[in-house]
């Protein structure tokens, strides 16, 4: 059983998944941040691979990506940083990123190296399900990686079923039709969340986009198995020194619970 | 593939050979899927075609003339015809596509129009049709382009559009496109995105190529009138994303005896690090939702291109053009900033026509390719040079061209 599936067997409510950009704020902060998140009590981590043109992301994550790239972050460097991370980190870790850098790396090589490093799954927002099934699913499955699809309030029921069927690990419910970091009004989306819940999907559901504090986190958790926080977390890392990172992360996570 | 039946039409999923497709986040799916399933049916309806043709004729000023440039022909020892897209309303071929897309947007019940623009020609063409139809218009434009294309920014504002600067990355066309796509993600119901070139997720490359194909449809009968033959020996067009080239090539794509010549912007030189010549510098990748050739680092980060011409300052090309390049159906050349400037001045002095800097790249190729005396060579003069006067004035003062 994958680490992600195991997590949801053990914990069905209030699952906290935290996103951060690899190589931000400093190039070698990736592991210290992972460690601090684990120590602070996060349940899962989504590690962003920086890209020059991150279409699904808002300005905060985009500028953290630009900074990480300026720091010299690459996929190759990330795998180097992750070489021995499983000695310390037992949380499920997903890689989130865009197709172009992965195609340059070589899609199969990428899956192989991610799997060897101990990565559990992938979130690739610009890999749509048609192309996934056509060409990429077999490689992702060959290396035993989970793959998480996104659904939005505009996604029709039949398509939600299809995306759920093709996903493994969990289904990522985008809280509103938006890029990351927009202020979502979760109450307005109640019908959508209730629809997802009533569909009895194969996968657990995690809500993301616009989750930023205790109240939005618990609201999201009342509709789903848990929630994903990205932009608000990137904001607290801004200008954090290596020393400050564990403290800031502990305080941030404590405030959510 | 070179042996396939047609270069014109992509597969059902939007592939030209190995290029194209729709690599979009789920947040865009409903919008793009609505377009994909409905565009062909809508744009082939008799009622749609009637209004489209009428607006192209009475509003945009079509057909645009095919002009035999005798003094230019004398200089280069061949027969050169200029397709005068510069005489279109708003000053470039871009209006062909925006008229088509605004009619489509209305059929889809959209109330809000967004667009990206580089040189500002597509932004102006979009603002124009929005004014014509009374729809809200938001144009994203790179901050750097806003500075170097001030007259077009003023035009868009006068036409009632809101111009929003794109301040990320290189602050040019690529970044304006990113911002427009983000806006679309945030407005999934009421908004239509009028992409200005043959780029983006399927069905955009095919849809824009079809709207621009009026250029080569006219060329066919105009050439027949002037030369007795529907086909020229060669068609030359500049390529940024590639919409005027797609339109100029379209009805000749499957006429293999017609030589198709695409001219990219070499900037300060292909090896200078300041270039936008995608087929020379690019590798296979995904940009703005489709597989194509992309200027990128070894790590897959999109690089910031350079050209004196804002309309060619783009690190990719449309998937149709990538297919034409790898199959050899079209020949790709490039012209530097300086070569384009020289060609613009030459056309002004020889023919009394001031071309847009984009189109000047196509003209510059006459210095590099020798055509036979009796060859009929068509050059798409995609836009007029009014918007580039500041650059031309600096060149006359002997200031080194600097974008």
């Amino acid at each position: 059983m994958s680490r992600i599936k195991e997590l949801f067997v053990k914990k069905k409510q209030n699952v906290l998944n935290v996103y951060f950009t690899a190589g931000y704020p400093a190039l070698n902060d990736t592991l210290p941040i992972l460690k601090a998140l684990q120590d602070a009590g996060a349940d899962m981590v989504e590690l962003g691979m920086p890209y020059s043109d991150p279409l699904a992301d808002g300005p905060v994550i985009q500028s953290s990506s630009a900074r990480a790239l300026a720091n010299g972050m690459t996929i190759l460097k990330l795998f180097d940083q992750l070489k021995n991370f499983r000695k310390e980190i037992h949380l499920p870790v997903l890689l989130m990123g865009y197709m172009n850098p992965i195609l340059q790396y070589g899609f199969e090589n990428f899956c192989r190296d991610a799997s060897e490093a101990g990565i559990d799954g992938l979130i690739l927002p610009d890999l749509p399900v048609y192309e996934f099934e056509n060409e990429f699913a077999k490689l992702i499955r060959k290396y035993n990686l989970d793959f998480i699809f996104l659904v939005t309030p505009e996604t029709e029921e039949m398509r939600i079923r299809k995306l759920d069927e093709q996903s493994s690990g969990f289904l990522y419910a985008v809280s509103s039709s938006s890029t990351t970091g927009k202020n979502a009004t979760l109450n307005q989306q109640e019908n959508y969340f209730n629809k997802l819940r009533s569909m009895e999907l194969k996968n657990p559901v995690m809500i993301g986009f616009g989750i930023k504090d205790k109240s939005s986190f618990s609201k999201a958790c009342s509709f789903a198995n848990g929630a994903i926080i990205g932009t608000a977390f990137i904001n607290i890392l801004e200008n954090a020194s290596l020393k400050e990172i564990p403290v800031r992360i502990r305080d941030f996570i404590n405030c959510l619970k | 593939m070179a042996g396939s039946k047609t270069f014109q039409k992509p597969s059902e999923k939007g592939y030209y050979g190995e290029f194209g497709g729709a690599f979009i986040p789920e947040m865009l799916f409903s919008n793009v899927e609505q377009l994909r399933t409905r565009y062909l049916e809508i744009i082939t309806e008799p009622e749609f075609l009637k209004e489209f043709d009428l607006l192209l004729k009475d509003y945009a000023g079509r057909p645009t003339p095919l002009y035999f440039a005798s003094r230019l022909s004398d200089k280069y020892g061949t027969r050169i015809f200029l397709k005068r897209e510069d005489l279109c309303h708003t000053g470039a071929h871009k209006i062909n596509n925006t008229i088509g897309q605004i009619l489509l947007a209305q059929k889809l019940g959209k109330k809000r129009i967004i667009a990206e623009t580089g040189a500002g020609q597509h932004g102006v063409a979009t603002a124009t049709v929005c004014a014509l139809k009374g729809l809200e218009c938001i144009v994203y434009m790179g901050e750097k382009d806003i500075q170097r294309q001030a007259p077009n920014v003023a035009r868009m504002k006068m036409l009632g559009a809101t111009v929003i600067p794109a301040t990320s990355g290189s602050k040019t066309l690529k970044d304006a496109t990113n911002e427009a796509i983000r806006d679309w993600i945030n407005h999934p119901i009421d908004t239509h995105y009028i992409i200005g070139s043959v780029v983006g997720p399927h069905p955009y490359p095919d849809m824009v190529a079809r709207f621009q194909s009026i250029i080569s449809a006219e060329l066919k009968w105009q050439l027949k009138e002037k030369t007795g033959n529907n086909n020229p020996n060669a068609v030359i067009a500049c390529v940024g994303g590639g919409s005027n080239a797609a339109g100029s090539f379209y009805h000749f794509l499957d006429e293999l005896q017609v030589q198709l010549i695409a001219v990219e912007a070499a900037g300060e030189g292909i090896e200078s690090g300041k270039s936008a010549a995608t087929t020379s510098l690019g590798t296979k990748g995904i940009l703005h939702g489709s597989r194509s050739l992309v200027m990128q680092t070894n790590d897959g980060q999109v690089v910031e291109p350079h050209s004196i011409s804002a309309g060619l300052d783009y690190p990719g090309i449309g998937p149709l053009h990538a297919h034409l390049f790898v199959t050899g159906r079209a020949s790709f050349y490039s012209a530097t900033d300086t070569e384009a400037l020289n060609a613009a001045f030459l056309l002004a002095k020889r023919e009394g026509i001031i071309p847009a800097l984009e189109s000047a790249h196509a003209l510059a190729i006459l210095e590099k390719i020798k055509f036979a005396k009796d060859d009929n060579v068509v050059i798409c003069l995609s836009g007029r040079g009014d918007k580039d006067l500041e650059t031309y004035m600096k060149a006359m003062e002997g200031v080194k061209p600097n974008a």
Side-chain angles (χ1 to χ4, degrees), chain B residues 175-187:
Chain B
D175 310 285
T177 308
N178 289 341
E179 291 305 323
I181 292 174
R182 288 204 177 100
D183 178 304
W184 209 22
I185 287 174
N186 287 303
H187 298 88

Side-chain angles (χ1 to χ4, degrees), chain A residues 50-59 62 69 73-76 99-105 125-128 130-131 135-136 150-152 154-155 159 163 174 176-179 182 209, chain B residues 13 15 20-30 168-169 174-175 177-179 181-183 185-189 283-289 291 294 296-303:
Chain A
Y51 179 47
S52 54
D53 296 76
L55 290 180
D57 288 303
Q62 185 182 20
L69 291 174
M73 198 61 194
T74 63
I75 292 177
L76 204 62
M99 282 296 282
N100 194 54
I102 298 174
L103 289 180
Q104 279 300 105
Y105 191 90
D126 63 346
L127 177 55
Y130 168 76
E131 302 286 353
E135 186 173 348
F136 301 100
L150 278 61
V151 297
T152 80
E154 312 310 323
T155 311
R159 188 167 168 86
L163 295 168
V174 176
S176 63
S177 293
S178 69
T179 45
K182 286 258 168 173
F209 287 39
Chain B
K13 293 292 180 181
Y15 275 92
F23 290 81
I24 48 162
E26 188 61 27
M27 292 82 91
L28 285 178
F29 179 80
S30 58
S168 62
K174 159 179 94 84
D175 310 285
T177 308
N178 289 341
E179 291 305 323
I181 292 174
R182 288 204 177 100
D183 178 304
I185 287 174
N186 287 303
H187 298 88
I189 311 285
T283 49
K284 289 172 191 175
I286 293 174
L287 181 65
H288 297 138
R291 278 188 163 170
V294 181
Q296 56 186 321
T297 64
N298 290 335
D299 188 43
Q301 307 300 334
V302 181
V303 304

Side-chain angles (χ1 to χ4, degrees), chain B residues 135-289:
Chain B
L135 295 180
E136 184 188 358
C137 179
I138 292 109
V139 179
Y140 290 88
M141 187 170 186
E143 201 172 44
K144 190 169 144 192
D145 292 336
I146 287 180
Q147 285 159 17
R148 57 181 171 171
Q149 304 288 344
N152 273 343
V153 176
R155 282 187 192 104
M156 285 185 268
K157 288 183 176 164
M158 185 163 172
L159 292 161
T162 307
V163 180
I164 301 180
T167 56
S168 62
S170 56
K171 304 177 172 59
T172 60
L173 182 54
K174 159 179 94 84
D175 310 285
T177 308
N178 289 341
E179 291 305 323
I181 292 174
R182 288 204 177 100
D183 178 304
W184 209 22
I185 287 174
N186 287 303
H187 298 88
I189 311 285
D190 63 339
T191 297
H192 176 68
Y193 176 17
I194 300 190
I195 295 184
S197 192
V198 286
V199 301
H202 178 62
Y204 279 99
D206 182 49
M207 185 168 71
V208 177
R210 284 168 185 262
F211 288 142
Q212 291 295 358
S213 70
I214 183 72
I215 300 173
S216 50
E218 289 173 4
L219 281 174
K220 282 258 174 190
W221 62 260
Q222 289 173 321
L223 283 162
K224 180 83 181 171
E225 268 181 19
K226 291 191 159 40
T227 69
N229 190 337
N230 287 124
N231 291 341
N233 297 85
V235 182
I236 305 174
C238 64
V239 173
S243 70
N244 91 82
S248 308
F249 294 169
Y250 197 84
H251 291 289
F252 304 112
L253 284 169
D254 297 322
E255 313 263 1
L256 300 182
Q257 71 277 26
V258 179
Q259 195 187 352
L260 305 176
I261 297 168
V263 187
E264 296 183 290
E268 295 181 9
I270 287 181
E271 305 297 334
S272 68
K274 299 188 85 179
S275 178
T278 303
T279 57
S280 299
L281 298 166
T283 49
K284 289 172 191 175
I286 293 174
L287 181 65
H288 297 138

Side-chain angles (χ1 to χ4, degrees), chain A residues 6-225:
Chain A
E6 248 171 64
L7 167 67
F8 285 104
V9 168
K10 281 191 286 193
K11 187 167 179 178
K12 294 191 163 46
Q13 276 304 309
N14 301 318
V15 173
L16 171 63
N17 181 359
V18 179
Y19 168 92
F20 74 98
T21 308
Y24 175 86
L27 179 62
N28 292 314
D29 285 345
T30 313
L31 278 189
I33 293 173
L34 272 174
K35 183 78 171 50
L37 278 168
Q38 174 167 284
D39 293 345
D43 298 304
M44 185 166 27
V45 173
E46 194 183 319
L47 193 49
M49 299 176 287
Y51 179 47
S52 54
D53 296 76
L55 290 180
D57 288 303
V60 171
I61 291 181
Q62 185 182 20
S63 73
S64 72
S65 293
R67 174 80 174 278
L69 291 174
N71 290 342
M73 198 61 194
T74 63
I75 292 177
L76 204 62
K77 193 146 269 172
L78 177 61
F79 284 139
D80 195 46
Q81 292 176 347
L82 293 177
K83 212 175 257 166
N84 295 309
F85 90 109
R86 280 297 171 202
K87 285 184 181 160
E88 284 191 285
I89 308 292
H90 53 77
L91 294 180
V93 177
L94 295 145
L95 293 181
M96 182 273 175
Y98 292 84
M99 282 296 282
N100 194 54
I102 298 174
L103 289 180
Q104 279 300 105
Y105 191 90
F107 199 87
E108 176 155 14
N109 293 348
F110 174 81
C111 292
R112 183 198 62 213
D113 292 353
S115 181
E116 275 174 16
I119 292 296
D120 303 295
L122 306 176
I123 301 179
L124 307 176
D126 63 346
L127 177 55
V129 68
Y130 168 76
E131 302 286 353
F132 171 84
E133 287 185 284
N134 209 26
E135 186 173 348
F136 301 100
K138 54 183 184 292
L139 296 172
I140 293 167
R141 286 170 187 150
K142 178 175 170 187
Y143 294 97
N144 297 312
L145 293 164
D146 284 324
F147 191 87
I148 283 88
F149 277 103
L150 278 61
V151 297
T152 80
E154 312 310 323
T155 311
E156 285 170 6
E157 192 165 327
M158 259 179 58
R159 188 167 168 86
I160 294 175
R161 295 240 175 253
K162 167 117 192 160
L163 295 168
D164 179 48
E165 176 206 307
Q166 293 295 324
S167 289
S168 62
F170 64 89
L171 194 63
Y172 192 139
V174 176
S175 62
S176 63
S177 293
S178 69
T179 45
T180 57
K182 286 258 168 173
N183 282 328
T185 45
L186 295 173
N187 283 329
Q188 288 172 1
Q189 306 294 353
E190 229 174 293
N191 289 342
Y192 155 61
F193 296 136
N194 285 332
K195 178 175 85 180
L196 286 177
R197 196 155 52 182
S198 71
M199 285 177 72
E200 297 183 3
L201 298 167
K202 176 186 100 176
N203 289 290
V205 174
M206 297 285 284
I207 294 176
F209 287 39
I211 315 297
K212 57 177 193 288
D213 51 19
K214 183 172 178 155
S215 101
S216 49
F217 180 70
S218 27
K219 187 88 200 167
C221 288
S222 72
F223 295 116
N225 300 82

